[in-house]
Structure formats: C-alpha cells, structure tokens
C-alpha cells in the first residue's frame, strides 16, 4: 500500500428499530432483540395495505442537539412537512460526529460529505400527486380538461417534486452541518452505502479533506412495500430467514447510519478512538436485470476478489463475512455461491452472519448500516447470531453462525448484491492488533 | 437463427431438460416446472439465462416468474423473436 493514506473509522451513528446510537444498538444485538411494528397508509375507506416491518418506535429530531435554526430552515422550505428519512440522515450524522468528537461548528471544519439513498423524498411526492389528482377529480364525473389537471398537479406539487432531486437534500444536510467543502450524493440501490464509503475514502486519499462523513438512510412506506410485494419478495409473516430452507422474503427496516471516516494520522494526532481501518472495496456491475441476480455469472465474485486484492488480504485472512442476506432463495444462492467460490465449501472460517433479522432491510441504507454492525462486531470480538434460521439450508455450504460467538476477530468483509446488479464488497480491519 | 415455431419448442425443451436434468421425452408441453420438474426459483433464473443466450432475446424481470411450462416459455420466446424481427 506504500505511502497511500490509511482510512479509519472514528465515528459511528446508527438509528434502527432496536436502538438509537452505537451503544444502544450493540446492546440490543447482544440481547438478540427485534422490534416489529405494523405500517400502512390510511385512505377514506380504510388502510390501503398493512405490512410488518422493523420499526423505530420513538424518534424525535429535537433530541439530537442539532441547531434549531438550521432545522427550521428545512421546515420552512418543506412547508412544515416532516420527511422521515431526511430526519434520519440528520440524526445519524449528528450521532456520528458527536461519537467522533469532531467539532463541525468550527469555521473551516474540513469535512466532506457523502450521502447515499435510493429514493429520498420520492414517496411524499408520489402520494401528494395522488391526493391532488383525487381532489381535482372528486365530484366531477365527467372529468376535467387535461391541461387543468396537469396544471393543478404541477402547481401543488412543484416544491415536493423539487426535493426528489438529490442535490436539494445534499444542500439541506450540508447546511445543517456547516459543510462547505466537497460533497456528493450516491445512488447504487442497496449497495449505495458501500459505494458511498469508497467515495468518502477516495476523497480523503485525494487530499481534499482529512475527514469525510458518509451517511445513508431509508424507511418503509406504502410504495416500497407494494413494489416488493408485487415482485414476490416481501415476507408476509414479517420474519426474514436468510440462508434457510423456509425463507420467504425480506422485511423492511427503519433506519439511518453515518460513519466518520478520517485519515489515520489525522485521527491519531487528535487522539480519536479508532473503531477499524477501511482497507478497501471492490465493485462490479452485472448489467443483466433490475430485480433478478444473474445466477451463474461471476460478477459478485469479481467485486469480492477486487476488495481482497486492493486490501492486500488473502481469503484465508477473512474471519467473518456479512452478506446481503435478504432471505430470498435465488439471492441467498447467488451469495453463497460467490462466498464458497472464493473461500471454499467448508464449515469453518470465514464465519458468515447476517444482520437483517435484527434491523430489517434498510434498502439504500442497508449495506452501510450492516457494515456499522459488522464494525461493532469486530471491535467487540463477537459474532452475533443470524436469527430466525431454524432450518439452515445445507445446499448453501456456508458457515452460518446461529448462536452468538465470542472470538478474536481481525479482518471482516461486508458484501452486498443490489438491484440492477450493483455488487459491492468492503473490508475492515482492527487497528494495532 | 431459430425461426420456426416447432424449432423453438424443441430448443426450449432441450434447455428445460438440461436444467431439470431429465430427458426431453419426459417433458410435456404443459408440465409444470415447479410441481412436475423440480425447477425451483434458482433454476428458473438459470433457465432464463439459457433461453436468452439461445435465442438472443431479453426477458423482462417480471416475466420470469410467469414462465412455468414449456408452452409458456416457447410462446414468450416466439413473441420476443417476433418483436425483435420487427424492430
């Protein structure tokens, strides 16, 4: 790796159904906690649909110590409407910055910002259009002129529609945290978080800033649920069972996550606590279908091998792998094939565990949220069990951990195979071991 | 290039037989992939990959789960080939 800058993680700010903040989340994982709630969307004649998901029960943005003035500016722009996943991003970033001890309020704070999200503000826009169209047409059995309908929808929804554009959200968040340097918004579906992590690492390595905050979030809503239900990918009983014979789909999860990445020497100089080093990532784009992995291709293997090569890590050095683990037979097979192709078919190391049974599928935030739990596992020398897997499927040939294990961990791998064939892998190592 | 209808059916049968690990003679036009041939959701994707490669067509994501018999697979392939020839 020569004189290349080393990248370390010095702040972790998670929000999830089982805990807000690093300590609460890890405590809940250690206790195998799960918190499932019910969602839906009210219409005049009852709920549109009801669905189960991993729910954050209590969330209040005012509890996070973010300056009221900057939040008020967002509320004014949005006419008072609260955008849940934007709020999750704000809270996660504040938690991570507080955890790292970095003072973002100082002038010239030298912080870069990388946000990732799959669909920020899209559902509020879609729902508002539906309501406006209904109101315009209600009580008019002969309809209304097309131009009147289009004009009405445009004028009522233009502000909400504007916010679907990623830059508007980047603007709001950067303003809150006094970020005036390099900033970026990334969308690579469920792998967004790992792509954002790599981008943040590159920013630091390029010398733009010694510190970069990378953040992601998502929340379950009716549109996402209906989409996944139509695809046959949503678990009706609200239980995700990765790599099991009786897996029947994924379950969404509320959440957000921010990590503070820092140049190693910069972190050392200020005496920061270092959770782990980010050794590097690997990425590939399969380019076959949007919603189906190409069984038989070697695209996922390519991403994992690239991460190993770039990190100068041998497969035998990986202690623990945390794959996407969505609990869908084809995707579980696709993942287990990549893992066994690289690490061999053996029921030893690397151990494999998954975190969606704890926090659900946080979509665009999932890979980074799960990377954070993996880093906490590394820091605590503990492998949390994969929950809900009473009937592991032997055809997957992986060493799935079903009871939590306390064991020395040094190097861990997070992988993700996302919609559209975005495959990603990231390797983390404990520092000074 | 395969153009004739019966050639499409025969080629689809060959692909299905290969995936299901059985003889083509054992596969009826309406044999159900999941119920009769033990083609699960994983093999269904392998089948789609093989069909696309053999016929040079592209099956849409949401059509994959609806392909459950040789007849359906052949009809879809013919539709896609027809569409391709007109474009």
């Amino acid at each position: 790796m020569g004189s290349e800058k080393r990248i370390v993680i010095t702040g972790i700010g998670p929000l999830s159904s089982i805990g807000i903040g690093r300590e609460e989340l890890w405590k809940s994982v250690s206790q195998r906690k799960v918190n499932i709630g019910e969602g839906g969307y009210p219409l005049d004649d009852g709920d549109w649909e009801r669905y189960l998901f991993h729910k954050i029960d209590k969330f209040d943005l005012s509890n996070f110590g973010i300056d009221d003035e900057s939040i008020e500016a967002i509320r004014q722009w949005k006419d008072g409407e609260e955008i849940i996943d934007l709020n999750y991003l704000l809270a996660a970033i504040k938690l991570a910055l507080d955890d790292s001890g970095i003072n973002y309020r100082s002038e010239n704070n030298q912080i870069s910002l990388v946000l990732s999200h799959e669909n920020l503000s899209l559902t509020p826009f879609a729902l508002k259009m539906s309501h406006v169209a209904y109101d315009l047409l209600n009580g008019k059995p002969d309809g209304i002129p097309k131009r009147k309908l289009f004009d009405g929808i445009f004028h009522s929804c233009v502000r909400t529609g504007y916010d679907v554009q990623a830059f508007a959200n980047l603007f709001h968040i950067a303003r809150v945290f006094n970020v005036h340097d390099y900033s970026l918004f990334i969308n690579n579906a469920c792998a967004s978080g790992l792509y954002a992590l790599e981008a943040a690492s590159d920013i630091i390595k390029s010398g733009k800033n010694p510190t970069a905050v990378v953040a992601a979030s998502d929340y379950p809503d009716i549109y996402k649920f209906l989409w996944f239900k139509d695809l046959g990918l949503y678990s009706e009983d609200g239980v995700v069972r990765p790599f099991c014979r009786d897996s029947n789909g994924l379950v969404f999860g509320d959440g957000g996550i921010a990590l503070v990445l820092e140049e190693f020497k910069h972190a050392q100089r200020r005496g920061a606590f270092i959770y782990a080093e980010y050794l590097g990532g690997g990425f590939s784009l399969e380019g076959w279908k949007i919603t189906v992995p190409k069984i038989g291709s070697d695209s996922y293997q390519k991403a994992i091998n690239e991460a190993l090569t770039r990190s100068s890590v041998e497969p035998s050095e990986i202690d623990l792998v945390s794959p996407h683990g969505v609990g869908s037979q084809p995707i579980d097979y696709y993942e287990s094939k990549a893992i066994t192709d690289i690490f061999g078919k053996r029921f030893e190391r690397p151990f494999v565990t998954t975190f969606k049974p704890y926090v659900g599928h946080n979509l665009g935030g999932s890979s980074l949220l799960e990377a954070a739990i993996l880093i906490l596992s590394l820091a605590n020398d503990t492998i949390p069990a994969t929950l809900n897997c009473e009937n592991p499927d032997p055809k997957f040939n992986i060493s799935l951990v079903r009871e939590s294990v306390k064991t020395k961990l040094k190097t861990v791998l997070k992988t993700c195979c996302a919609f559209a064939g975005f495959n990603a892998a990231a390797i983390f190592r404990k520092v000074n071991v | 290039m395969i153009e004739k209808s019966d050639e499409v059916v025969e080629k689809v049968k060959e692909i299905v037989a290969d995936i299901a690990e059985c003889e083509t003679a054992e596969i009826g036009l309406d044999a159900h992939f999941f119920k009769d041939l033990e083609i699960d959701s994983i093999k269904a994707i392998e089948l789609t990959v093989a069909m696309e490669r053999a016929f040079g067509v592209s099956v849409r994501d949401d059509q994959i789960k609806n392909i459950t018999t040789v007849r359906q697979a052949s009809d879809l392939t013919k539709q896609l080939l027809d569409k391709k020839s007109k474009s």
Side-chain angles (χ1 to χ4, degrees), chain A residues 61 66 70-71 73-74 77-78 83-94 97 104 109 111-117 120-121 165-180 183-185 213-217 257-258:
Chain A
L61 190 59
I66 302 171
S70 56
I71 297 295
I74 297 176
W77 172 262
K78 293 184 179 295
I83 306 298
I84 297 169
D85 35 3
L86 175 60
N87 288 348
Y88 286 171
L89 280 170
L90 290 165
I93 293 171
K94 181 64 165 59
L97 284 167
Y104 68 87
N109 60 22
I111 297 173
S112 288
L113 176 64
V114 183
L115 297 183
S116 65
H117 202 294
L120 193 55
S121 302
Q165 300 174 98
F167 78 85
N169 296 290
L170 189 56
F171 162 80
H172 289 308
I173 293 173
R175 190 171 183 274
V176 168
F177 294 104
N178 203 21
V179 172
H180 297 286
S183 58
L184 203 59
F185 196 105
V213 175
V214 53
S217 78
I257 175 66

Side-chain angles (χ1 to χ4, degrees), chain A residues 200-247:
Chain A
S201 169
D202 284 345
I203 288 168
I204 297 173
K205 285 181 180 172
S206 73
K208 287 187 179 70
N209 280 139
T211 308
V213 175
V214 53
S217 78
D218 215 318
Y219 79 104
D221 64 46
I222 189 72
Y223 269 82
K224 293 165 206 160
F225 168 71
L226 290 171
W227 191 35
F228 277 78
K229 184 187 169 199
D230 283 355
L231 289 168
L233 290 174
Y234 207 87
S235 167
E236 286 183 8
D237 64 358
V239 180
V240 59
R241 303 173 181 87
F243 302 104
C244 293
R245 290 177 199 267
D246 46 0
S247 62

Side-chain angles (χ1 to χ4, degrees), chain B residues 40-81:
Chain B
D40 59 12
S41 55
I42 297 164
K43 287 183 175 176
I45 296 174
E46 290 177 324
L47 178 71
T48 307
V49 173
M51 274 173 53
E52 288 190 342
R53 191 178 295 136
F55 297 107
V57 295
S58 180
V59 177
R60 213 175 55 223
D61 301 34
D62 58 346
Q63 292 172 321
I64 295 175
K65 67 180 175 189
N66 296 327
I67 306 172
T68 56
T69 62
V70 168
R71 190 188 301 279
Q72 287 172 347
S74 304
D75 287 350
L76 177 64
T77 302
K78 284 181 244 171
Q79 278 174 32
L80 293 170
L81 285 170

Side-chain angles (χ1 to χ4, degrees), chain A residues 116-144:
Chain A
S116 65
H117 202 294
E118 280 191 68
N119 47 57
L120 193 55
S121 302
L122 179 62
T123 297
F125 178 51
L127 288 171
K128 189 160 187 177
M129 282 203 297
S130 302
H131 282 294
V132 169
Y134 178 80
D135 290 343
L136 285 166
L137 294 169
N138 193 25
K140 299 179 181 69
D142 298 328
I144 61 173

Side-chain angles (χ1 to χ4, degrees), chain A residues 53-333:
Chain A
F53 69 103
H54 294 251
K55 187 178 184 182
I56 294 179
D57 283 328
K58 289 175 186 169
F59 176 83
D60 184 348
L61 190 59
S62 65
N63 289 338
F64 291 84
I66 302 171
D67 304 338
D68 289 343
E69 193 184 324
S70 56
I71 297 295
E72 191 50 36
I74 297 176
R75 290 198 174 117
Q76 279 189 18
W77 172 262
K78 293 184 179 295
D79 290 331
E81 188 177 2
E82 296 286 340
I83 306 298
I84 297 169
D85 35 3
L86 175 60
N87 288 348
Y88 286 171
L89 280 170
L90 290 165
I93 293 171
K94 181 64 165 59
L95 284 168
L97 284 167
D98 287 350
D99 191 43
S100 73
I102 286 174
N103 179 14
Y104 68 87
R105 292 184 175 89
S106 67
E107 284 303 311
N108 190 27
N109 60 22
Q110 295 190 296
I111 297 173
S112 288
L113 176 64
V114 183
L115 297 183
S116 65
H117 202 294
E118 280 191 68
N119 47 57
L120 193 55
S121 302
L122 179 62
T123 297
F125 178 51
L127 288 171
K128 189 160 187 177
M129 282 203 297
S130 302
H131 282 294
V132 169
Y134 178 80
D135 290 343
L136 285 166
L137 294 169
N138 193 25
K140 299 179 181 69
D142 298 328
I144 61 173
K146 206 169 187 177
R147 176 176 289 274
K148 193 174 178 185
L149 181 72
F150 278 44
D151 267 348
I153 291 174
F154 172 78
H155 289 297
S156 298
C157 302
V158 62
R159 182 77 64 84
T160 318
Y162 210 83
D163 282 354
V164 176
Q165 300 174 98
F167 78 85
N169 296 290
L170 189 56
F171 162 80
H172 289 308
I173 293 173
R175 190 171 183 274
V176 168
F177 294 104
N178 203 21
V179 172
H180 297 286
D181 290 343
Y182 197 76
S183 58
L184 203 59
F185 196 105
I186 282 179
N187 185 349
N188 295 81
C190 295
S192 297
L194 298 188
Y195 277 81
L197 183 71
E198 178 72 3
S201 169
D202 284 345
I203 288 168
I204 297 173
K205 285 181 180 172
S206 73
K208 287 187 179 70
N209 280 139
T211 308
V213 175
V214 53
S217 78
D218 215 318
Y219 79 104
D221 64 46
I222 189 72
Y223 269 82
K224 293 165 206 160
F225 168 71
L226 290 171
W227 191 35
F228 277 78
K229 184 187 169 199
D230 283 355
L231 289 168
L233 290 174
Y234 207 87
S235 167
E236 286 183 8
D237 64 358
V239 180
V240 59
R241 303 173 181 87
F243 302 104
C244 293
R245 290 177 199 267
D246 46 0
S247 62
N248 65 348
L250 59 87
V251 181
F252 290 151
D254 261 333
I257 175 66
L259 299 179
V260 174
L261 266 62
E262 209 169 338
E263 196 274 316
F264 180 50
K265 287 177 184 166
H266 186 270
Q268 272 189 320
R269 275 197 296 278
R270 66 181 193 88
F273 180 80
I274 295 171
Y275 290 98
E277 179 172 359
Y278 172 59
L279 294 183
F283 304 87
S284 64
L285 176 50
E286 194 167 73
W288 187 54
K289 306 287 178 207
I290 292 278
T291 60
V292 185
K294 190 176 184 181
I295 305 268
S297 84
D298 62 356
S299 178
Y300 205 15
Q301 288 87 329
K302 189 179 160 196
I304 297 170
N305 276 321
E306 184 186 305
L308 290 164
T309 303
R310 287 190 53 221
S311 303
S312 301
V313 167
E314 293 294 324
S316 60
E317 293 178 76
I318 297 292
D319 299 315
L320 175 62
V321 181
S322 182
H324 202 30
V326 292
S328 145
Q329 283 280 325
I331 300 171
D332 288 353
Y333 177 77

